[in-house]
């Protein structure tokens, strides 16, 4: 397996996001484990309402790295803008998001495939641009932020969200201790490109930072079967052949080497609210 950070390796993107079911399984397992920390889309909605000058009259909301469309749908329902566009590089995720949107007819939301380094929107067209849990997929995040600046209308807001470098370190410790990947604690953080410690600085290259908020999120996986659902498609670990992508086999391995027990882990989630520099295009 390549030593390149998987989130920054173009060659691994089809593996990671070529099937919506893999991301869905990992995300659902993580959300079922959450014991503290608010839903991130709800926090973003609150930040927009608190800091945009016209939160009840929004035009275009652009949701970068929209994945399966969860946040995009929430923004359409809660903020009631004229239009929400979800953008993601993975065709499988965009198709899945479109299918979900079809079950909620009438929402002003659409999805498109695209590259967040070259946003397919006119300059000054967006009242809100959200980039949640996606900037760390770019080796040039400052270029993405410059594009966000270009896309923002005067008075528009960017809401950027990322995780701490040492997120889920308790999981790294367990994976190493049981021999699934003895170097788990030495692997580079998946969030090395943009993390809680540098998000505000990355934003400030092109935007005026208004607010920085940190929130600790805690997760308790109730046993090996639950944990394996998350670990099976986590690209950070170099798992043995037959284990990656196979939650059942991974759970069986955990049961063989360790008594079944819950695992609690944490992640620092950071939110930055910023404005186009000078509020002008």
């Amino acid at each position: 397996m390549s030593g390149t950070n998987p989130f920054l390796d173009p060659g691994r993107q089809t593996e990671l996001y070529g099937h919506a079911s893999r991301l869905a399984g990992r995300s659902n397992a993580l959300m079922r484990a959450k014991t503290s920390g608010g839903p991130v889309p709800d926090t973003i909605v609150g930040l927009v309402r608190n800091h945009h000058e016209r939160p009840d009259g929004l035009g275009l909301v652009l949701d970068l790295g929209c994945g399966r469309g969860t946040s995009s749908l929430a923004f359409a329902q809660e903020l009631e803008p004229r239009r929400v566009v979800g953008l993601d590089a993975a065709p499988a995720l965009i198709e899945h998001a479109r299918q979900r949107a079809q079950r909620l007819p009438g929402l002003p939301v659409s999805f498109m495939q695209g590259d967040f380094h070259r946003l397919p929107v006119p300059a000054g067209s967006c009242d809100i641009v959200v980039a949640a849990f996606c900037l760390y997929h770019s080796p040039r995040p400052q270029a993405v932020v410059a594009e966000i600046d270009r896309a923002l209308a005067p008075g528009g807001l960017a809401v950027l969200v990322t995780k701490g470098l040492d997120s889920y370190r308790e999981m790294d410790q367990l994976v190493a201790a049981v021999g699934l990947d003895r170097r788990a604690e030495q692997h580079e953080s998946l969030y090395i490109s943009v993390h809680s410690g540098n998000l505000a600085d990355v934003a400030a290259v092109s935007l005026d930072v208004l607010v920085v908020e940190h929130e600790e999120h805690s997760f308790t996986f109730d046993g090996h079967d639950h944990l394996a659902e998350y670990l099976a498609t986590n690209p950070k670990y170099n798992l043995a052949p037959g284990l990656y992508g196979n939650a059942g086999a991974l759970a069986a391995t955990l049961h063989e080497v360790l008594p079944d027990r819950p695992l609690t882990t944490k992640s620092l989630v950071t939110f930055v609210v910023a404005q186009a520099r000078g509020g002008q295009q």
Side-chain angles (χ1 to χ4, degrees):
M1 189 175 290
S2 170
T4 304
N5 188 311
F7 276 3
L8 300 174
D9 184 350
R12 295 193 64 184
Q13 298 315 296
T14 298
E15 168 205 328
L16 299 182
Y17 302 113
H19 300 279
S21 60
R22 286 197 165 190
L23 179 60
R26 191 163 67 247
S27 298
N28 290 339
L30 189 65
M31 291 305 98
R32 294 202 323 272
K34 182 179 280 193
T35 55
S36 72
V40 168
D42 291 354
T43 301
I44 294 171
V45 167
L47 290 168
V48 170
R49 287 174 174 162
N50 289 338
H51 298 286
H52 196 280
E53 60 185 17
R54 294 178 289 99
D56 295 324
L58 297 174
L60 176 58
V61 174
L62 181 61
D63 184 18
L64 306 184
C66 67
R68 300 182 302 121
T70 301
S71 293
S72 302
L73 296 172
F75 301 152
Q77 292 172 308
E78 299 298 326
L79 292 172
E80 299 182 327
R82 176 176 52 81
R83 183 183 177 208
V84 175
V85 173
L87 180 83
D88 201 281
L93 299 185
I94 289 296
E95 179 58 29
H96 186 77
R98 287 171 176 160
Q99 292 173 5
R100 295 178 73 189
Q102 288 173 0
R103 298 196 289 269
L104 296 167
L107 282 182
V109 60
S110 60
F111 297 94
M112 66 171 65
Q113 183 187 1
D115 180 353
F116 59 9
H117 298 92
R118 295 182 295 276
L119 296 179
V121 296
S125 62
C126 300
D127 282 334
I128 303 292
V129 179
V130 175
F133 305 129
C134 64
L135 290 174
Y136 43 64
H137 283 283
S138 174
R140 300 181 292 112
Q142 291 87 351
V144 181
V145 174
E147 270 290 271
I148 292 172
D149 175 59
R150 181 189 68 81
L152 283 172
L157 292 180
V159 184
L160 315 178
V161 189
T162 193
K163 302 181 184 184
L165 276 175
D166 63 348
S167 293
Y168 318 122
R169 67 178 181 274
E170 296 86 358
M171 197 175 298
D172 296 345
Q173 292 165 355
L174 181 142
V175 169
V178 302
L180 290 171
D181 179 355
R182 296 195 182 280
R183 298 193 66 255
E185 294 181 85
Q186 281 74 56
H187 293 316
E188 183 174 80
S189 172
L190 294 175
Y191 317 113
I192 190 69
S193 177
V194 179
H195 51 83
S196 292
N198 74 354
L199 178 60
D201 291 337
V202 170
V205 170
S206 298
L207 302 168
D208 288 333
V209 174
L210 305 179
V211 176
V212 180
E213 292 187 3
H214 303 284
E215 184 177 70
E216 186 172 85
H217 288 218
S218 298
F219 307 86
T220 297
F221 294 84
D222 57 21
H224 293 341
D225 293 347
H226 186 185
L227 180 61
E229 292 178 44
Y230 182 79
L231 290 178
T233 59
N234 188 318
K236 184 175 185 178
Y237 307 119
N238 294 322
L239 301 176
L243 296 184
Y244 186 73
N246 189 337
L250 184 54
T253 300
L254 287 170
H255 282 291
E256 287 176 5
V257 299
L258 188 71
D260 202 5
R261 64 190 185 199
L263 174 74
T264 296
T265 189
K266 298 176 182 179
S267 175
L268 183 68
V269 177
T270 296
F271 302 82
V272 165
V273 180
Q275 204 167 32
R277 184 142 293 153
Q280 299 180 3
Q281 302 297 321

